[in-house]
């Protein structure tokens, strides 16, 4: 009797653990962006966050969903991709609104200083349908990002439909999906290098990236996921650690004077 009760308890615990692990796989990837989202909302400053991170994740997860049509993988990973795409669109919407508000305020201050009228204020209208590569992924409205994502999805889906019977194409598609995701931190790495600072970037976000990518890579290994998944997972962990090294290096050896814009904005809101 006691053995049966013990077995039932163990069974319940195993179910709970599997549910928690499943939830961590589906939603764990978006958790790192919560502190970054809150920081941008609080400071109304999106300069420290590279929106190319959103581009990388959108491309990677769209390709991963298309890869599933050619080679089946766990439904949890499919749900993870859908949740991540939604999250990146939310981040893009926030960053676009904040950037445009910042540009407008800068123009307004300039015109006030020169005794000009508000009606004369004009902000360049950069749209996706202009097909101007100089303004790629720095458009003025969120709808332009949606148009770009939709266009990419339709083209990629059409090519996948035509070549779905090719094993080489399917495997290449899977590799491109996970390799693109492995390059997730590269835009942020480059942004930090250009700025010679990690100011404005959420360190909590990068720490969560590292822990999440480590967990994900171990999960891939234990569930015998396609080799592309865990190989690129290891690469992703390496990029995360490189960003953490930048945090240490630029805080220990500052390359430029620290801007007080963010702290002043925070103080003003606190008041």
């Amino acid at each position: 009797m006691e053995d049966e009760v013990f077995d039932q308890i163990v069974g319940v615990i195993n179910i709970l653990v599997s549910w928690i692990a499943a939830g961590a796989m589906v939603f764990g990837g978006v958790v790192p962006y919560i502190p970054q989202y809150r920081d941008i909302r609080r400071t109304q400053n999106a300069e420290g966050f590279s929106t190319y991170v959103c581009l990388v994740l959108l491309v990677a997860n769209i390709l991963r969903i298309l890869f599933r049509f050619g080679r089946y993988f766990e439904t949890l990973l499919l749900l993870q991709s859908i949740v991540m795409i939604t999250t990146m669109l939310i981040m893009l919407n926030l960053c676009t609104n904040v950037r445009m508000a910042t540009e407008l305020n800068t123009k307004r201050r300039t015109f006030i200083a020169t005794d000009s009228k508000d009606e004369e204020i004009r902000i360049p209208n950069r749209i996706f349908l202009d097909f101007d590569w100089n303004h790629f992924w720095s458009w003025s409205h969120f709808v332009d990002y949606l148009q770009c994502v939709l266009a990419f999805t339709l083209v990629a889906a059409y090519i996948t439909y035509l070549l779905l019977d090719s094993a080489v194409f399917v495997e290449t598609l899977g590799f491109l999906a996970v390799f693109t995701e492995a390059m997730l931190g590269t835009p942020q790495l480059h942004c930090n290098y250009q700025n010679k600072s990690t100011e404005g970037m959420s360190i909590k976000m990068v720490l969560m990236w590292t822990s999440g990518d480590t967990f994900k890579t171990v999960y891939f290994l234990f569930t015998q996921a396609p080799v592309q998944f865990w190989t690129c997972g290891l690469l992703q962990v390496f990029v995360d650690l490189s960003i953490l090294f930048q945090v240490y290096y630029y805080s220990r050896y500052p390359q430029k004077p620290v801007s007080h814009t963010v702290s002043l904005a925070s103080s003003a809101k606190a008041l």
Side-chain angles (χ1 to χ4, degrees):
M1 183 66 180
E2 291 181 357
D3 290 340
E4 291 180 1
V5 172
F6 178 76
D7 289 340
Q8 290 178 352
I9 294 174
V10 171
V12 171
I13 292 174
N14 286 336
I15 292 174
L16 288 175
V17 170
S18 64
W19 284 355
I20 293 172
M25 279 301 300
V26 174
F27 298 102
V30 306
V31 172
Y33 298 97
I34 295 176
Q36 184 68 71
Y37 182 90
R38 294 178 64 185
D39 285 348
I40 294 173
R41 283 285 300 271
R42 177 174 55 84
T43 62
Q44 289 298 297
N45 187 337
E47 290 183 4
F49 176 72
S50 174
T51 55
Y52 283 97
V53 169
C54 301
L55 174 62
V56 169
L57 279 174
L58 285 169
V59 171
N61 284 281
I62 290 169
L63 292 179
R64 185 198 282 185
I65 291 174
L66 295 176
F67 174 57
R68 194 173 191 266
F69 288 98
R71 183 171 177 183
Y72 179 83
F73 55 78
E74 280 193 281
T75 304
L76 288 178
L77 297 179
L78 175 63
L79 294 175
Q80 181 193 58
S81 292
I82 295 172
V83 171
M84 183 60 75
I85 289 171
T86 304
T87 303
M88 290 303 100
L89 292 176
I90 293 172
M91 288 293 296
L92 273 176
N93 185 37
L94 174 66
C95 291
T96 304
N97 291 337
V98 168
R99 188 182 72 246
M100 293 307 296
T102 301
E103 288 185 17
L104 180 61
N105 289 334
T106 302
K107 288 278 188 180
R108 183 173 288 118
R109 286 195 296 268
T110 302
F111 276 89
I112 290 175
T114 56
D115 293 326
S116 299
K117 297 180 180 180
D118 265 2
E119 294 81 62
E120 299 174 4
I121 297 177
R122 294 290 184 273
I123 295 178
N125 191 30
R126 302 179 292 270
I127 63 175
F128 167 66
L129 294 178
D130 283 342
F131 300 110
D132 186 349
W133 286 103
N134 293 323
H135 297 143
F136 178 76
W137 213 249
S138 59
W139 300 301
S140 301
H141 306 287
F142 175 63
V143 67
D144 294 293
Y145 293 94
L146 285 179
Q147 290 173 350
C148 179
V149 171
L150 180 60
F152 172 78
T153 303
L154 291 175
V155 171
Y158 182 67
I159 295 173
T160 302
Y161 173 75
L162 292 178
L163 302 175
L164 197 58
D165 293 332
S166 171
V168 174
F169 172 79
V170 171
E171 292 301 321
T172 302
L173 183 65
F175 174 76
L176 287 176
V178 291
F179 181 74
T180 304
E181 186 175 358
M183 294 294 100
L184 161 66
T186 306
Q188 191 64 57
L189 192 73
H190 180 66
C191 179
N192 295 340
Y193 176 76
Q194 279 191 321
N195 295 336
K196 302 300 180 186
S197 169
T198 57
E199 182 185 3
M201 180 195 73
S202 173
I203 298 176
K204 292 179 183 177
M205 177 186 71
V206 182
L207 288 172
M208 290 180 184
W209 273 357
T210 308
S211 58
D213 292 337
T214 302
F215 171 80
K216 181 173 63 178
T217 303
V218 172
Y219 180 87
F220 288 155
L221 289 169
F222 274 96
T223 57
Q224 297 181 337
V227 64
Q228 300 102 316
F229 282 63
W230 61 263
T231 302
C232 291
L234 291 173
L235 178 59
Q236 201 165 352
V237 172
F238 173 76
V239 174
D240 295 340
L241 293 175
S242 299
I243 296 176
L244 288 176
F245 175 75
Q246 284 184 321
V247 173
Y248 164 78
Y249 182 81
Y250 290 133
S251 61
R252 187 72 181 271
Y253 307 103
Q255 305 293 303
K256 68 175 185 179
V258 178
S259 170
H260 296 287
T261 305
V262 174
S263 59
L264 287 174
S266 302
S267 301
K269 286 185 175 292
L271 292 173

